[in-house]
C-alpha cells in the first residue's frame, strides 16, 4: 500500500533519513521506533507530503505522491502536538474539518462519542488541557475513516481510559484491513497492537521485522525487552541503556 | 478555500488583539477629529497615524499569528488541500480581519464626522497598507523557520519602510543635489508602500507641498488622476508580488 524506495532527506548537513526503503501493506500495524532525532517524524511527514524528500520516491497504492495532494484523503493524521486556533471551539474545529473534507460523506464518530466530546464541544481550544487536545486530534484522524492512519505519539498525554479506548479503536481498524503507522516512546502501549517493528537510528533503517519473528529470535515476550535484547546484540551498551529509559 | 477563510475569520474576530486594535484606532480617530474644525487638518493627522500604526501592527500581528498556527497549518496540510490554497486562504482570513478592524476603527467614525473624496482615499490607502504588510508577513513566515527570527525580521521590515527609507531617500537627494534627481526619485518612492500610501492621500488634498518632497514631486509630475492611478497600481504590485513569491517558496518548504 505504501512503498518507499531509497528515501533520503537532508536538513543542511544533517541527514535525517538515509536511504530508507520500506514496504507497508494493508492490515499491518507498524511501530516506528528509535531514539529522539532518529528520523521517525521526518519519515511520517515525508509520507504526508509535509517534508519534501531530497531523493527517493514514495508511492501510495502504486502512484507516486510527489507534487500530489489528493492522495491525502486516504490518510488520517494525528500530529504529535495538537495546537488549534485559540478562539475556536471544539465543535467549530470538527465542523471546519468536515467542511474541508466535503468528499467524505460518512463519518466515523466512534471516538468522538467514546471521548464524550459533545459534552465539551462549546469549549474554546485555548481553555483545553493537553490531553483533551490530544483527544480532539485523535477524533479528527479517525473521523473520515481513511485507509491509512498515521499516528505520531498518539497516547502521550492521554489518561489510561482514553488511551485504552484509542488502542481498542486501532485494533479494530486494523482488523478492518487498514494500515496503521504509529510512533511512540511508550513501548508498553504498543505491545498488543503492533504487528511490525521498524527501528530507525540516525536516519538509517536498522530493522523491519514482524513482532512474531522478533519474539522467536530474542525469546522475549514484551516489546521493551525485545527491543532491548536486539539493541544489546547488535550495538554498544549505551543503546540498551537508552531504550530502557523509556 | 472559503471554509478556511471563514474559520480563520471566526477565530480572529474574537481575538483580543484585533478588538483592542480597532478600539484604539477608534479612540484616536475620534479624539483627533475633536481637536480642530478643519477637516483637512484632521485628515492629515489621521493619515500620519495610519502610516505609523497600520504597517507595524499588521506585519507584527500577522507574523505572530502565522507562526503560532504552524501546527494547525500542518494538520490542515495533511488533508487533501493544495499548499497554495491553504496559504492564501490563511492570508485572506487575516487580511480581511485586520481590514475589518481598520474600517471599524477609522472608517466608521471618519465617515460620520467628515465625508469627502479625500476620506475615501485615506481608507483605501489604510486598507492597502493592511494588505501589503500582511502579505509581507506571509513572506517572512515562509522564509524563516524560527519564530523569533521571523518576528525580528517583521520589526525590521516595518521600521525600514516607516522610518529608515525616508532617511535614505533624503541622503540620496542630498548627495545628488547637483543632478536632476526628480525623476529617479519618483521611481524610488514606488519602492516604499508607506510613501505610496501617503502620496495617494496627499494628491487629494491641497497640502501636498507641506508634506515633504515626495508629495510635491508627485503633484508636479503627474496630475492628481495619473498620480493616483500610478500609486494604486504600485500598491497592487506590492500586495500581489510578495504573495506570489510566498506561494512559490511555500511549495518547497519543509513543515
Amino acid at each position: 500500500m505504501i512503498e518507499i524506495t531509497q528515501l533520503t532527506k537532508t536538513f543542511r548537513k544533517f541527514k535525517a533519513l538515509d536511504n530508507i526503503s520500506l514496504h507497508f501493506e494493508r492490515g499491518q500495524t507498524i511501530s516506528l521506533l528509535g531514539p529522539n532525532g532518529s528520523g521517525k517524524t521526518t519519515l511520517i511527514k515525508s509520507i504526508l507530503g509535509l517534508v519534501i524528500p531530497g531523493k527517493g520516491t514514495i508511492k501510495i497504492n502504486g502512484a507516486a505522491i510527489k507534487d500530489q495532494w489528493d492522495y491525502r484523503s486516504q490518510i488520517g493524521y494525528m500530529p504529535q502536538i495538537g495546537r488549534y486556533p485559540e478562539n475556536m471551539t471544539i465543535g467549530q474545529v470538527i465542523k471546519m474539518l468536515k467542511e474541508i473534507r466535503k468528499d467524505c460523506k460518512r463519518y466515523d464518530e466512534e471516538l468522538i462519542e467514546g471521548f464524550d466530546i459533545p459534552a465539551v464541544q462549546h469549549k474554546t481550544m485555548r481553555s483545553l488541557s493537553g490531553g483533551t487536545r490530544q483527544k480532539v486530534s485523535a477524533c479528527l484522524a479517525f473521523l473520515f475513516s481513511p485507509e491509512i492512519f498515521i499516528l505520531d505519539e498518539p497516547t502521550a498525554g492521554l489518561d489510561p481510559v482514553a488511551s485504552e479506548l484509542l488502542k481498542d479503536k486501532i485494533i479494530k481498524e486494523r482488523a478492518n484491513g487498514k494500515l496503521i503507522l504509529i510512533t511512540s516512546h511508550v513501548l508498553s502501549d504498543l505491545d498488543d497492537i503492533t504487528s511490525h517493528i521498524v527501528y530507525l537510528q540516525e536516519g538509517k533503517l536498522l530493522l523491519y521485522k514482524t513482532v512474531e519473528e522478533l519474539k522467536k529470535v530474542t525469546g522475549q515476550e514484551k516489546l521493551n525487552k525485545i527491543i532491548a535484547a536486539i539493541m544489546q546484540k547488535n550495538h554498544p551498551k549505551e543503546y540498551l541503556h537508552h531504550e530502557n529509559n523509556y | 478555500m472559503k471554509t478556511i477563510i471563514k474559520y480563520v475569520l471566526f477565530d480572529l474576530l474574537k481575538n483580543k488583539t484585533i478588538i483592542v486594535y480597532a478600539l484604539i484606532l477608534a479612540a484616536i480617530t475620534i479624539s483627533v477629529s475633536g481637536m480642530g474644525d478643519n477637516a483637512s487638518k484632521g485628515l492629515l493627522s489621521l493619515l500620519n497615524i495610519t502610516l505609523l500604526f497600520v504597517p507595524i501592527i499588521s506585519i507584527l500581528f500577522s507574523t505572530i499569528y502565522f507562526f503560532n498556527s504552524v501546527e494547525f497549518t500542518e494538520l490542515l496540510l495533511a488533508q487533501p488541500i493544495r499548499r497554495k490554497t491553504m496559504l492564501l486562504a490563511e492570508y485572506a482570513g487575516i487580511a480581511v480581519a485586520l481590514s475589518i478592524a481598520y474600517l471599524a476603527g477609522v472608517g466608521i467614525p471618519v465617515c460620520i464626522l467628515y465625508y469627502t473624496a479625500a476620506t475615501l482615499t485615506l481608507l483605501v490607502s489604510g486598507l492597502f497598507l493592511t494588505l501589503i504588510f500582511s502579505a509581507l508577513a506571509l513572506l517572512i513566515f515562509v522564509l524563516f523557520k524560527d519564530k523569533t527570527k521571523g518576528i525580528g525580521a517583521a520589526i525590521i521590515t516595518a521600521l525600514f519602510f516607516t522610518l529608515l527609507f525616508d532617511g535614505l531617500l533624503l541622503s540620496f537627494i542630498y548627495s545628488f543635489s547637483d543632478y536632476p534627481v526628480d525623476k529617479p526619485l519618483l521611481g524610488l518612492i514606488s519602492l516604499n508602500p508607506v510613501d505610496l500610501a501617503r502620496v495617494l492621500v496627499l494628491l487629494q488634498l491641497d497640502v501636498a507641498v507641506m508634506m515633504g518632497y515626495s508629495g510635491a514631486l508627485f503633484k508636479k509630475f503627474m496630475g492628481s488622476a495619473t498620480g493616483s492611478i500610478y500609486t494604486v497600481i504600485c500598491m497592487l504590485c506590492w500586495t500581489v508580488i510578495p504573495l506570489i513569491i510566498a506561494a512559490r517558496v511555500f511549495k518547497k518548504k519543509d513543515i
Side-chain angles (χ1 to χ4, degrees):
Chain A
M1 196 165 202
I2 300 184
E3 206 181 322
I4 301 170
T5 10
Q6 298 180 333
L7 193 69
T8 303
K9 174 72 195 176
T10 356
F11 293 111
R12 306 237 166 127
K13 278 181 187 164
F14 172 67
K15 257 194 178 166
L17 291 176
D18 192 357
N19 207 13
I20 303 243
S21 297
L22 287 165
H23 188 88
F24 304 139
E25 274 307 326
R26 276 169 203 284
Q28 296 180 337
T29 307
I30 290 139
S31 291
L32 290 172
L33 303 178
N36 295 339
S38 56
K40 291 169 298 205
T41 301
T42 310
L43 181 62
I44 282 178
K45 287 189 171 181
S46 307
I47 297 173
L48 285 166
L50 295 174
V51 164
I52 294 156
K55 277 191 214 120
T57 51
I58 301 172
K59 284 183 182 172
I60 292 184
N61 290 334
I65 60 163
K66 195 169 179 283
D67 296 328
Q68 297 296 314
W69 51 277
D70 41 2
Y71 76 92
R72 290 196 285 259
S73 60
Q74 304 168 42
I75 302 180
Y77 172 53
M78 176 174 174
Q80 197 168 0
I81 312 160
R83 277 187 63 187
Y84 299 89
E86 288 188 342
N87 299 308
M88 267 196 212
T89 63
I90 299 182
Q92 277 177 335
V93 169
I94 292 172
K95 217 174 137 220
M96 172 179 183
L97 264 292
K98 280 183 181 170
E99 279 176 39
I100 288 175
R101 291 293 306 276
K102 282 208 180 86
D103 55 313
C104 182
K105 294 279 178 277
R106 277 182 53 241
Y107 304 122
D108 177 359
E109 299 193 320
E110 209 180 306
L111 276 183
I112 296 189
E113 272 143 40
F115 289 147
D116 210 11
I117 295 290
V120 286
Q121 64 168 341
H122 59 275
K123 283 195 180 173
T124 58
M125 299 312 288
R126 179 179 34 195
S127 65
L128 298 184
S129 70
T132 318
R133 264 183 235 169
Q134 197 78 349
K135 283 182 191 168
V136 175
S137 301
C139 292
L140 293 177
F142 285 85
L143 188 58
F144 306 105
S145 36
E147 292 299 308
I148 302 166
F149 291 94
I150 297 183
L151 313 171
D152 200 352
E153 300 276 351
T155 52
L158 287 186
D159 60 55
V161 181
S163 176
E164 282 308 311
L165 201 75
L166 183 59
K167 268 156 67 177
D168 288 345
K169 181 71 184 162
I170 292 172
I171 292 168
K172 198 173 155 193
E173 289 302 323
R174 186 191 156 196
N176 286 341
K178 307 282 175 80
L179 167 64
I180 296 147
L181 289 175
I182 303 183
T183 73
S184 183
H185 283 301
V186 193
L187 294 180
S188 57
D189 272 346
L190 298 172
D191 257 328
D192 325 321
I193 54 178
T194 311
S195 68
H196 292 66
I197 303 273
V198 169
Y199 196 94
L200 295 175
Q201 182 138 15
E202 285 166 3
K204 290 194 180 69
L205 180 66
L206 282 195
L207 114 136
Y208 175 35
K209 290 216 160 71
T210 64
V211 176
E212 297 307 317
E213 245 178 297
L214 292 174
K215 275 183 184 166
K216 221 180 273 172
V217 174
T218 56
Q220 298 286 354
E221 275 300 307
K222 288 284 174 196
L223 209 52
N224 46 1
K225 290 272 167 59
I226 293 175
I227 298 298
I230 291 164
M231 291 305 109
Q232 196 174 23
K233 220 182 278 174
N234 298 346
H235 297 282
K237 275 226 158 87
E238 62 246 35
Y239 293 145
L240 164 71
H241 184 70
H242 197 86
E243 280 305 313
N244 273 349
N245 278 344
Y246 295 127
Chain B
M1 181 148 183
K2 267 186 218 149
T3 315
I4 301 175
I5 299 177
K6 187 173 89 187
Y7 282 95
V8 169
L9 264 181
F10 266 165
D11 179 44
L12 279 173
L13 292 180
K14 279 191 237 157
N15 186 299
K16 285 199 184 91
T17 316
I18 293 274
I19 296 168
V20 170
Y21 173 56
L23 288 178
I24 289 179
L25 283 179
I28 292 174
T29 309
I30 292 165
S31 59
V32 161
S33 54
M35 284 198 292
D37 43 11
N38 188 334
S40 166
K41 257 187 205 163
L43 270 183
L44 269 184
S45 322
L46 279 178
L47 174 65
N48 280 330
I49 287 156
T50 299
L51 294 180
L52 189 70
F53 274 117
V54 173
I56 195 143
I57 302 275
S58 299
I59 198 169
L60 259 185
F61 180 80
S62 313
T63 310
I64 294 172
Y65 187 81
F66 287 134
F67 275 104
N68 279 350
S69 47
V70 163
E71 285 92 358
F72 192 58
T73 310
E74 188 187 306
L75 184 76
L76 291 183
L77 284 178
Q79 308 299 323
I81 311 178
R82 275 174 229 269
R83 282 193 172 198
K84 199 166 113 189
T85 314
M86 164 71 215
L87 192 75
L88 293 182
E90 221 179 340
Y91 166 75
I94 201 163
V96 170
L98 284 168
S99 303
I100 291 175
Y102 181 77
L103 282 182
V106 177
I108 294 173
V110 118
C111 283
I112 294 170
L113 292 166
Y114 22 72
Y115 179 81
T116 60
T119 321
L120 274 186
T121 50
L122 172 74
L123 294 182
V124 168
S125 60
L127 290 181
F128 260 125
L129 283 179
T130 309
L131 297 184
I132 290 168
F133 279 86
S134 28
L136 290 174
L138 191 72
L139 186 58
I140 289 170
F141 166 66
V142 298
L143 289 179
F144 290 85
K145 207 167 171 102
D146 184 63
K147 184 179 171 182
T148 329
K149 279 185 197 157
I151 293 173
I155 294 173
I156 289 171
T157 312
L159 288 183
F160 176 78
F161 285 128
T162 46
L163 299 174
L164 202 63
F165 191 91
D166 275 353
L168 292 176
L169 207 64
L170 272 181
S171 64
F172 170 80
I173 296 164
Y174 190 72
S175 39
F176 291 95
S177 54
D178 295 342
Y179 304 93
V181 288
D182 301 1
K183 276 183 183 156
L185 211 57
L186 281 181
L188 283 178
I189 287 168
S190 324
L191 296 178
N192 184 357
V194 179
D195 273 343
L196 287 171
R198 178 183 292 135
V199 165
L200 186 63
V201 179
L202 290 182
L203 288 176
Q204 297 297 323
L205 297 171
D206 283 332
V207 286
V209 194
M210 279 165 58
M211 285 293 282
Y213 206 75
S214 48
L217 261 179
F218 259 77
K219 192 95 181 175
K220 188 177 154 201
F221 277 93
M222 306 179 200
S224 282
T226 23
S228 301
I229 292 165
Y230 176 75
T231 42
V232 166
I233 290 171
C234 281
M235 289 174 101
L236 272 177
C237 291
W238 266 103
T239 319
V240 175
I241 291 170
L243 289 180
I244 292 173
I245 300 174
R248 285 232 172 124
V249 177
F250 193 62
K251 215 177 150 190
K252 294 203 170 68
K253 198 188 176 190
D254 295 322
I255 300 149

